[in-house]
Amino acid sequence: DSGVTQTPKHLITATGQRVTLRCSPRSGDLSVYWYQQSLDQGLQFLIQYYNGEERAKGNILERFSAQQFPDLHSELNLSSLELGDSALYFCASSVGWRGGGTDTQYFGPGTRLTVL
Amino acid sequence: GQNIDQPTEMTATEGAIVQINCTYQTSGFNGLFWYQQHAGEAPTFLSYNVLDGLEEKGRFSSFLSRSKGYSYLLLKELQMKDSASYLCAVSLQFSGGYNKLIFGAGTRLAVHP
């Protein structure tokens, strides 16, 4: 158990809908990262937050957005869902964000999203 | 651009040794991670290398050569539970000091009795 929690574990919805995925980082971690993993594909970095502020963006679609709240939990919002959005969505957390001693990222159990 | 290559699949026998290679072409290199991921589960941290050389941790060792853009993960005394995907991830540093992890597609290892 990494200490990172994600809810829900599974989510089934229809095309065009909107969903929210939730993540709580490990105690003491200030950074939260979101990743997408489609079937037989590698982990794709979506976005990073540090202490409530967006720090880095990856291949995140405009239909997707995220935020990190004052209690450091984060939410990933996916809207206008398409069949191709079906994937495992992982959240990871780390202590900080600066280099010179890269922070190890610890992953949550993931949310499996199925869009029908 | 950033590119990370690893073999797609490997097979090995229980009790044997297997080496999983990873080559990368990136800019702003700031270290390399190996993660293990069982099907449908979260990636779990195995090792981190930022300097050239070998890091040993129990049955697992990881090697890095920055000049060659090359790393490998060595698994000894293979057990059936080692059947999993192994993800090579390069940490890249960007202006402003923040880091981003870029993952390879992963190597699916099957351990047979």
Coordinates of all heavy atoms in Angstrom, one line a residue, chain A residues 9 33 35 37 40-45 48 55-58 88 90 97-110 112, chain B residues 30-31 33 35 37 39-45 48 50 87 91-106 108:
Chain A
K9 N -13.0 3.2 -7.5 CA -12.1 2.2 -8.1 C -12.5 1.9 -9.5 O -11.7 1.7 -10.4 CB -12.1 0.9 -7.2 CG -11.0 0.0 -7.5 CD -11.0 -1.1 -6.4 CE -9.9 -2.2 -6.7 NZ -8.6 -1.6 -6.8
Y33 N 0.3 14.0 -9.1 CA 0.4 13.9 -10.6 C -0.7 13.0 -11.0 O -1.1 12.1 -10.4 CB 1.7 13.1 -10.9 CG 3.0 13.7 -10.3 CD1 3.3 13.5 -8.9 CD2 3.9 14.5 -11.0 CE1 4.4 14.0 -8.3 CE2 5.0 15.0 -10.4 CZ 5.3 14.7 -9.1 OH 6.4 15.2 -8.5
Y35 N -2.0 10.5 -14.3 CA -1.5 9.7 -15.5 C -2.7 9.0 -16.1 O -3.6 8.6 -15.4 CB -0.5 8.7 -15.1 CG 0.9 9.3 -14.7 CD1 1.1 9.7 -13.4 CD2 1.9 9.5 -15.6 CE1 2.3 10.2 -13.0 CE2 3.1 10.0 -15.3 CZ 3.3 10.3 -13.9 OH 4.5 10.8 -13.6
Q37 N -3.5 5.5 -18.5 CA -2.9 4.3 -19.1 C -4.0 3.6 -19.8 O -4.9 3.0 -19.2 CB -2.3 3.4 -18.0 CG -1.6 2.3 -18.6 CD -0.9 1.5 -17.5 OE1 -1.4 1.2 -16.4 NE2 0.4 1.1 -17.7
D40 N -2.8 -1.7 -23.0 CA -1.6 -2.0 -23.7 C -0.7 -0.8 -24.1 O 0.1 -0.8 -25.0 CB -1.8 -2.8 -25.0 CG -2.3 -4.2 -24.7 OD1 -2.0 -4.7 -23.6 OD2 -3.1 -4.8 -25.5
Q41 N -1.0 0.3 -23.4 CA -0.2 1.5 -23.6 C 0.6 1.9 -22.4 O 0.2 1.6 -21.3 CB -1.0 2.6 -24.1 CG -1.6 2.4 -25.5 CD -1.9 3.6 -26.3 OE1 -1.7 4.7 -25.8 NE2 -2.4 3.5 -27.4
G42 N 1.6 2.7 -22.6 CA 2.3 3.2 -21.4 C 1.6 4.3 -20.6 O 0.6 4.8 -21.1
L43 N 2.2 4.6 -19.5 CA 1.6 5.7 -18.7 C 1.9 7.0 -19.4 O 3.0 7.4 -19.7 CB 2.3 5.7 -17.3 CG 1.8 4.7 -16.3 CD1 2.8 4.5 -15.2 CD2 0.4 5.1 -15.8
Q44 N 0.8 7.8 -19.6 CA 0.9 9.1 -20.2 C 0.7 10.1 -19.1 O -0.4 10.2 -18.5 CB -0.1 9.3 -21.3 CG 0.0 8.2 -22.4 CD 1.3 8.4 -23.2 OE1 1.7 9.6 -23.5 NE2 2.0 7.3 -23.5
F45 N 1.6 11.0 -18.9 CA 1.5 12.1 -17.9 C 0.5 13.1 -18.4 O 0.5 13.6 -19.5 CB 2.9 12.7 -17.7 CG 2.9 14.0 -16.9 CD1 2.7 14.0 -15.6 CD2 3.2 15.2 -17.6 CE1 2.7 15.1 -14.8 CE2 3.2 16.4 -16.8 CZ 2.9 16.3 -15.5
Q48 N 0.5 18.0 -13.3 CA 1.1 17.9 -11.9 C 0.6 19.2 -11.2 O 0.6 20.3 -11.7 CB 2.6 17.9 -12.0 CG 3.2 17.9 -10.6 CD 4.7 18.4 -10.6 OE1 5.2 18.7 -11.6 NE2 5.3 18.5 -9.4
R55 N 1.9 22.8 -11.9 CA 3.3 23.0 -12.1 C 3.8 22.5 -13.4 O 4.7 23.0 -14.0 CB 4.1 22.1 -11.0 CG 4.2 22.8 -9.7 CD 5.1 24.1 -9.8 NE 5.2 24.8 -8.5 CZ 5.8 25.9 -8.4 NH1 6.2 26.6 -9.4 NH2 5.9 26.5 -7.2
A56 N 3.1 21.4 -14.0 CA 3.6 20.9 -15.2 C 2.3 20.3 -15.9 O 1.4 19.8 -15.3 CB 4.6 19.8 -15.1
K57 N 2.4 20.4 -17.3 CA 1.3 19.8 -18.1 C 1.9 18.9 -19.1 O 2.9 19.1 -19.7 CB 0.5 21.0 -18.8 CG -0.9 21.2 -18.3 CD -1.5 22.3 -19.1 CE -3.0 22.4 -18.6 NZ -3.6 23.5 -19.3
G58 N 1.2 17.8 -19.3 CA 1.6 16.8 -20.3 C 0.5 16.8 -21.4 O 0.0 17.8 -21.8
L88 N -7.2 3.4 -17.5 CA -6.9 3.4 -16.1 C -6.3 4.8 -15.8 O -5.4 5.2 -16.5 CB -5.9 2.4 -15.7 CG -6.3 1.1 -15.1 CD1 -5.2 0.1 -15.0 CD2 -7.0 1.3 -13.7
F90 N -4.3 7.0 -13.1 CA -3.6 6.9 -11.9 C -3.2 8.2 -11.3 O -2.9 9.2 -12.1 CB -2.3 6.1 -12.1 CG -2.4 4.6 -12.3 CD1 -2.3 4.1 -13.6 CD2 -2.7 3.8 -11.2 CE1 -2.4 2.7 -13.8 CE2 -2.8 2.4 -11.4 CZ -2.7 1.9 -12.7
W97 N 8.8 19.1 -5.7 CA 8.7 19.3 -7.1 C 10.0 19.7 -7.7 O 10.2 19.6 -8.9 CB 7.6 20.3 -7.5 CG 8.0 21.7 -7.0 CD1 7.8 22.2 -5.8 CD2 8.6 22.7 -7.8 NE1 8.3 23.5 -5.8 CE2 8.7 23.9 -7.0 CE3 8.9 22.8 -9.2 CZ2 9.3 25.0 -7.5 CZ3 9.5 24.0 -9.6 CH2 9.6 25.1 -8.8
R98 N 11.0 20.1 -6.9 CA 12.2 20.6 -7.5 C 13.2 19.4 -7.9 O 13.1 18.4 -7.3 CB 12.9 21.5 -6.5 CG 12.4 22.9 -6.6 CD 13.4 23.9 -6.0 NE 12.8 25.2 -6.1 CZ 13.0 26.0 -7.2 NH1 13.7 25.5 -8.2 NH2 12.4 27.2 -7.2
G99 N 14.1 19.7 -8.7 CA 15.0 18.7 -9.1 C 16.2 18.7 -8.2 O 16.1 19.2 -7.1
G100 N 17.3 18.1 -8.6 CA 18.5 18.0 -7.7 C 18.2 17.0 -6.7 O 18.5 17.2 -5.5
G101 N 17.6 15.9 -7.0 CA 17.2 14.9 -6.1 C 15.7 14.7 -6.4 O 14.9 15.1 -5.7
T102 N 15.5 14.1 -7.5 CA 14.2 13.9 -8.0 C 13.3 13.2 -7.0 O 13.7 12.2 -6.4 CB 14.2 13.2 -9.3 OG1 15.1 13.9 -10.2 CG2 12.8 13.1 -9.9
D103 N 12.1 13.7 -6.8 CA 11.2 13.0 -5.9 C 10.7 11.8 -6.5 O 10.3 11.7 -7.6 CB 10.0 14.0 -5.7 CG 10.4 15.2 -4.9 OD1 11.1 15.1 -3.9 OD2 10.0 16.3 -5.4
T104 N 10.7 10.7 -5.7 CA 10.1 9.5 -6.1 C 8.6 9.6 -6.1 O 8.0 10.1 -5.1 CB 10.5 8.3 -5.2 OG1 11.9 8.1 -5.3 CG2 9.8 7.0 -5.6
Q105 N 7.9 9.2 -7.1 CA 6.5 9.2 -7.2 C 5.9 7.9 -6.7 O 6.4 6.8 -7.2 CB 6.0 9.5 -8.6 CG 6.4 10.9 -9.1 CD 5.9 11.3 -10.5 OE1 4.9 10.7 -10.9 NE2 6.6 12.2 -11.1
Y106 N 4.9 7.9 -5.9 CA 4.2 6.8 -5.4 C 2.8 6.8 -5.9 O 2.1 7.8 -5.8 CB 4.3 6.7 -3.9 CG 5.7 6.5 -3.3 CD1 6.5 7.6 -3.0 CD2 6.2 5.2 -3.2 CE1 7.8 7.4 -2.6 CE2 7.5 5.1 -2.7 CZ 8.3 6.2 -2.5 OH 9.6 6.0 -2.0
F107 N 2.4 5.7 -6.5 CA 1.1 5.6 -7.2 C 0.0 5.1 -6.4 O 0.2 4.2 -5.6 CB 1.3 4.7 -8.5 CG 2.0 5.4 -9.6 CD1 3.4 5.5 -9.5 CD2 1.4 6.0 -10.7 CE1 4.1 6.2 -10.5 CE2 2.0 6.6 -11.7 CZ 3.4 6.7 -11.6
G108 N -1.2 5.6 -6.6 CA -2.4 5.1 -6.1 C -2.9 3.9 -6.9 O -2.3 3.6 -7.9
P109 N -4.0 3.2 -6.4 CA -4.5 2.0 -7.0 C -5.2 2.2 -8.4 O -5.4 1.3 -9.1 CB -5.4 1.4 -6.0 CG -5.9 2.6 -5.2 CD -4.7 3.6 -5.2
G110 N -5.5 3.5 -8.7 CA -6.1 3.8 -10.0 C -7.6 3.8 -10.0 O -8.2 3.2 -9.1
R112 N -10.5 2.8 -12.8 CA -10.8 2.2 -14.1 C -12.0 2.9 -14.7 O -13.1 2.6 -14.1 CB -10.9 0.7 -14.1 CG -11.1 0.1 -15.5 CD -11.1 -1.4 -15.5 NE -9.8 -2.0 -15.1 CZ -8.8 -2.1 -16.0 NH1 -8.9 -1.6 -17.2 NH2 -7.7 -2.6 -15.6
Chain B
N30 N 17.5 13.8 -15.6 CA 17.7 14.1 -14.2 C 17.4 12.8 -13.4 O 16.9 12.8 -12.3 CB 16.7 15.2 -13.7 CG 17.1 15.7 -12.3 OD1 18.2 15.7 -11.9 ND2 16.1 16.0 -11.6
G31 N 17.8 11.6 -14.0 CA 17.6 10.4 -13.3 C 16.7 9.4 -14.0 O 15.9 9.8 -14.9
F33 N 14.1 5.9 -13.4 CA 13.4 5.1 -12.4 C 13.0 3.8 -13.1 O 12.8 3.7 -14.3 CB 12.1 5.8 -12.0 CG 12.3 7.0 -11.1 CD1 12.6 8.2 -11.6 CD2 12.2 6.8 -9.7 CE1 12.8 9.3 -10.8 CE2 12.3 7.9 -8.9 CZ 12.6 9.2 -9.4
Y35 N 9.9 0.9 -12.4 CA 8.7 0.5 -11.6 C 8.3 -0.9 -12.1 O 8.5 -1.3 -13.2 CB 7.6 1.5 -11.9 CG 7.7 2.8 -11.2 CD1 8.5 3.9 -11.7 CD2 7.0 3.1 -10.1 CE1 8.6 5.1 -11.1 CE2 7.1 4.3 -9.4 CZ 7.8 5.3 -9.9 OH 7.9 6.5 -9.3
Q37 N 4.8 -3.2 -12.5 CA 3.4 -3.1 -12.5 C 2.7 -4.4 -12.8 O 2.9 -4.9 -14.0 CB 2.9 -2.0 -13.5 CG 1.4 -1.7 -13.5 CD 1.0 -0.7 -14.5 OE1 1.6 -0.5 -15.5 NE2 -0.2 -0.1 -14.2
A39 N -0.6 -6.6 -13.7 CA -1.8 -6.2 -14.6 C -2.9 -5.6 -13.7 O -3.4 -6.2 -12.8 CB -2.3 -7.5 -15.3
G40 N -3.3 -4.4 -14.2 CA -4.5 -3.8 -13.5 C -4.2 -3.1 -12.2 O -5.1 -2.6 -11.5
E41 N -2.9 -3.2 -11.8 CA -2.6 -2.6 -10.5 C -1.7 -1.4 -10.6 O -1.3 -1.0 -11.7 CB -1.8 -3.6 -9.6 CG -2.7 -4.8 -9.3 CD -2.0 -5.8 -8.4 OE1 -0.9 -5.5 -7.9 OE2 -2.6 -6.9 -8.2
A42 N -1.4 -0.7 -9.5 CA -0.5 0.5 -9.6 C 0.9 0.1 -9.8 O 1.4 -0.9 -9.3 CB -0.7 1.2 -8.2
P43 N 1.6 1.0 -10.5 CA 3.1 0.8 -10.6 C 3.7 1.0 -9.2 O 3.3 1.9 -8.4 CB 3.5 2.0 -11.5 CG 2.3 2.4 -12.2 CD 1.2 2.1 -11.3
T44 N 4.7 0.1 -8.9 CA 5.4 0.3 -7.6 C 6.8 0.5 -7.8 O 7.5 -0.1 -8.7 CB 5.2 -1.0 -6.7 OG1 5.6 -2.1 -7.4 CG2 3.8 -1.2 -6.3
F45 N 7.4 1.4 -7.1 CA 8.8 1.9 -7.2 C 9.8 0.7 -6.9 O 9.7 0.0 -5.9 CB 9.0 3.0 -6.3 CG 10.5 3.4 -6.1 CD1 11.2 4.1 -7.2 CD2 11.2 3.1 -5.0 CE1 12.5 4.4 -7.0 CE2 12.5 3.5 -4.8 CZ 13.2 4.1 -5.9
Y48 N 16.1 3.7 -8.4 CA 16.4 5.1 -9.0 C 17.8 5.2 -9.2 O 18.6 4.9 -8.3 CB 15.8 6.1 -8.1 CG 16.3 7.5 -8.4 CD1 15.9 8.2 -9.6 CD2 17.1 8.3 -7.6 CE1 16.3 9.5 -9.9 CE2 17.6 9.6 -7.9 CZ 17.1 10.1 -9.0 OH 17.5 11.4 -9.3
V50 N 20.8 8.0 -10.7 CA 21.1 9.3 -11.3 C 22.6 9.4 -11.7 O 22.9 10.1 -12.6 CB 20.7 10.4 -10.3 CG1 21.5 10.4 -9.1 CG2 20.7 11.8 -11.0
L87 N 8.5 -1.0 -16.0 CA 8.5 0.3 -16.6 C 9.7 1.1 -16.4 O 10.1 1.3 -15.2 CB 7.3 1.1 -16.1 CG 5.9 0.4 -16.1 CD1 4.8 1.4 -15.5 CD2 5.5 -0.1 -17.4
S91 N 13.4 10.8 -15.7 CA 13.0 12.1 -15.1 C 13.7 13.2 -15.9 O 14.9 13.2 -16.1 CB 13.4 12.2 -13.7 OG 13.1 13.4 -13.1
L92 N 12.9 14.2 -16.4 CA 13.4 15.3 -17.1 C 13.2 16.6 -16.4 O 12.2 16.8 -15.8 CB 12.7 15.4 -18.5 CG 12.7 14.1 -19.3 CD1 11.9 14.4 -20.6 CD2 14.2 13.7 -19.7
Q93 N 14.2 17.4 -16.4 CA 14.1 18.7 -15.6 C 13.9 19.8 -16.6 O 14.6 19.9 -17.7 CB 15.4 18.9 -14.8 CG 15.3 20.2 -13.9 CD 16.4 20.3 -13.0 OE1 17.6 20.3 -13.4 NE2 16.1 20.3 -11.7
F94 N 12.9 20.6 -16.3 CA 12.6 21.7 -17.1 C 12.9 23.0 -16.5 O 13.3 23.1 -15.3 CB 11.1 21.7 -17.5 CG 10.7 20.5 -18.3 CD1 10.5 19.3 -17.8 CD2 10.5 20.6 -19.7 CE1 10.1 18.2 -18.5 CE2 10.2 19.6 -20.5 CZ 10.0 18.3 -19.9
S95 N 12.9 24.1 -17.2 CA 13.2 25.4 -16.7 C 12.2 25.7 -15.5 O 11.0 25.4 -15.6 CB 13.1 26.5 -17.8 OG 11.8 26.5 -18.3
G96 N 12.7 26.3 -14.5 CA 11.9 26.5 -13.3 C 12.1 25.4 -12.3 O 11.6 25.5 -11.2
G97 N 12.9 24.4 -12.7 CA 13.3 23.4 -11.7 C 12.4 22.2 -11.5 O 12.7 21.3 -10.8
Y98 N 11.2 22.3 -12.2 CA 10.3 21.1 -11.9 C 10.7 20.0 -12.8 O 11.4 20.1 -13.8 CB 8.9 21.5 -12.2 CG 8.5 21.8 -13.6 CD1 8.0 20.8 -14.4 CD2 8.5 23.1 -14.1 CE1 7.7 21.0 -15.7 CE2 8.2 23.3 -15.4 CZ 7.7 22.3 -16.2 OH 7.4 22.5 -17.5
N99 N 10.3 18.8 -12.4 CA 10.6 17.5 -13.1 C 9.4 16.9 -13.7 O 8.3 17.0 -13.1 CB 11.3 16.6 -12.2 CG 12.7 17.1 -11.7 OD1 13.7 16.9 -12.4 ND2 12.7 17.8 -10.6
K100 N 9.6 16.1 -14.8 CA 8.5 15.4 -15.4 C 9.0 14.0 -15.6 O 10.1 13.8 -16.1 CB 8.1 16.0 -16.7 CG 6.8 15.5 -17.3 CD 6.5 16.1 -18.6 CE 6.2 17.6 -18.5 NZ 5.7 18.1 -19.8
L101 N 8.2 13.0 -15.3 CA 8.6 11.6 -15.6 C 8.0 11.1 -16.9 O 6.8 11.3 -17.1 CB 8.0 10.6 -14.5 CG 8.9 10.2 -13.3 CD1 8.2 9.2 -12.5 CD2 10.2 9.8 -13.8
I102 N 8.9 10.6 -17.8 CA 8.4 10.1 -19.1 C 8.6 8.6 -19.0 O 9.7 8.1 -18.8 CB 9.2 10.7 -20.3 CG1 9.2 12.2 -20.2 CG2 8.6 10.2 -21.6 CD1 7.8 12.8 -20.4
F103 N 7.5 7.9 -19.2 CA 7.6 6.4 -19.1 C 7.8 5.7 -20.5 O 7.2 6.2 -21.5 CB 6.3 5.9 -18.5 CG 6.2 6.0 -17.0 CD1 5.8 7.2 -16.5 CD2 6.6 5.0 -16.2 CE1 5.7 7.4 -15.1 CE2 6.5 5.1 -14.8 CZ 6.1 6.3 -14.3
G104 N 8.5 4.7 -20.5 CA 8.6 3.8 -21.6 C 7.3 3.0 -21.6 O 6.5 3.0 -20.7
A105 N 7.1 2.2 -22.7 CA 5.8 1.4 -22.9 C 5.8 0.2 -22.0 O 4.7 -0.4 -21.8 CB 5.7 1.0 -24.3
G106 N 6.9 -0.1 -21.4 CA 7.0 -1.2 -20.5 C 7.4 -2.5 -21.1 O 7.2 -2.8 -22.3
R108 N 6.8 -6.6 -20.7 CA 6.0 -7.6 -20.0 C 6.8 -8.8 -19.8 O 7.2 -9.5 -20.8 CB 4.7 -7.9 -20.8 CG 3.7 -8.7 -20.1 CD 2.3 -8.5 -20.7 NE 2.3 -8.5 -22.1 CZ 1.7 -7.6 -22.9 NH1 1.1 -6.6 -22.3 NH2 1.8 -7.7 -24.2

